[in-house]
């Protein structure tokens, strides 16, 4: 809808109109260490060259429905490298059954992972948003602030190479695909307020 960078797909693309808003349906079959082995996947870019990604502030949000957990980690939208001691970028995703938001800045050598304190419901739609305003990270679920952190400060630190991925946790040595639905993925170059996040949730609350 915006941004000038259409998504790319590996495997069949299925848009499902039942059980919630029209959404991209992913089956979780993409889990592997190489895109060549993927059965299904969605992404914006394989490299960051030429992309106008947020540097000082960011909001990333989406409606997501996890139908089953196919591994410990999962991604909704992200540009991340988390390979041993090398940690860069950001990701809106989940670990086990808890949504999280991770981010790294130029003043910190590690990613900070904000994790919700409660499990999400399998098979149900949730609105999830991660916000960073230059000094504070915030994670919202269904319009409500769930957890925040001031561990990161300054500009976002991007890796030289990463994947701008939709519906998957993807870095150089890991690929964990969402098994479920995703709708209205959005990235803003500013920190949306709590009221704005709540407005996004209430506008399409089911």
């Amino acid at each position: 809808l915006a941004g000038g960078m259409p998504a790319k797909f590996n495997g069949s693309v299925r848009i499902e109109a039942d059980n919630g808003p029209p959404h991209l349906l992913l089956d979780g079959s993409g889990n592997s260490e190489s895109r060549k082995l993927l059965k299904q996947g969605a992404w914006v870019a394989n490299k960051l060259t030429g992309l106008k990604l947020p540097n000082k502030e960011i909001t990333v949000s989406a409606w997501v429905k996890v139908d089953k957990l196919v591994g410990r980690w999962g991604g909704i939208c992200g540009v991340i490298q988390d390979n041993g001691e090398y940690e860069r970028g950001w990701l809106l995703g989940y670990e086990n059954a808890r949504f999280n938001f991770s981010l790294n800045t130029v003043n910190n050598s590690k990613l900070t992972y904000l994790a919700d304190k409660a499990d999400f419901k399998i098979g149900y739609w949730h609105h999830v948003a991660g916000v960073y305003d230059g000094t504070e990270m915030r994670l919202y679920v269904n319009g409500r602030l769930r957890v925040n952190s001031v561990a990161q400060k300054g500009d976002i630190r991007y890796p030289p190479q990463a994947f701008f991925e939709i519906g998957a946790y993807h870095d150089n040595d890991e690929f964990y695909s969402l098994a479920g639905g995703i709708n209205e993925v959005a990235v803003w170059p500013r920190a949306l307020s709590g009221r704005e996040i709540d407005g996004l949730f209430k506008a399409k609350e089911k």
Side-chain angles (χ1 to χ4, degrees):
L1 295 178
M5 294 291 292
K8 305 174 180 66
F9 300 94
N10 192 94
S12 61
V13 178
R14 180 178 172 186
I15 302 299
E16 178 67 56
D18 296 330
N19 191 19
H23 56 274
L24 175 66
L25 187 65
L26 298 171
D27 61 14
S29 64
N31 297 346
S32 72
E33 296 182 359
S34 171
R35 187 176 294 284
K36 294 179 180 179
L37 302 178
L38 295 185
K39 295 181 180 179
Q40 190 183 57
W43 69 101
V44 177
N46 285 326
K47 57 184 180 180
L48 305 186
T49 305
L51 294 183
K52 296 180 180 179
L53 294 168
N55 286 316
K56 299 182 181 299
E57 299 182 0
I58 188 173
T59 300
V60 53
S61 71
W63 284 92
V64 63
K65 175 172 66 75
V66 181
D67 289 332
K68 63 179 178 179
L69 297 172
V70 293
R72 176 181 175 183
W73 302 97
I76 300 168
C77 181
V79 177
I80 192 171
Q81 291 289 356
D82 187 354
N83 306 306
E85 296 297 314
Y86 187 79
E87 302 182 11
R88 301 287 189 274
W90 52 266
L91 176 76
L92 183 68
Y94 52 92
E95 181 182 3
N96 295 319
R98 297 193 175 186
F99 291 120
N100 62 27
F101 175 50
S102 59
L103 184 135
N104 174 251
T105 63
V106 295
N107 293 302
N108 197 316
S109 62
K110 297 289 186 180
L111 286 156
T112 295
Y113 280 86
L114 289 183
D116 196 358
K117 298 176 181 179
D119 290 359
F120 56 75
K121 293 183 179 180
I122 300 294
Y124 285 78
W125 283 100
H126 300 79
H127 185 264
V128 189
V131 178
Y132 173 67
D133 64 8
T135 59
E136 182 184 38
M137 295 171 60
R138 301 188 292 273
L139 174 69
Y140 295 83
V141 178
N142 293 337
R144 298 181 61 186
L145 177 64
R146 301 296 299 170
V147 63
N148 66 306
S149 171
V150 293
Q152 299 288 340
K153 185 177 182 180
D155 289 357
I156 300 169
R157 191 204 307 260
Y158 286 96
Q161 190 281 328
F163 311 96
F164 191 173
E165 201 80 20
I166 297 172
Y169 178 113
H170 189 188
D171 61 13
N172 276 351
D173 58 4
E174 296 168 298
F175 189 103
Y176 302 113
S177 180
L178 168 73
I182 191 165
N183 172 259
E184 289 192 358
V185 182
V187 178
W188 288 266
R190 67 181 183 90
L192 270 64
S193 67
R195 178 176 293 182
E196 288 176 302
I197 297 295
D198 188 49
L200 291 173
F201 166 64
K202 289 180 177 177
K204 293 188 66 174
E205 182 181 359
K206 299 297 183 181

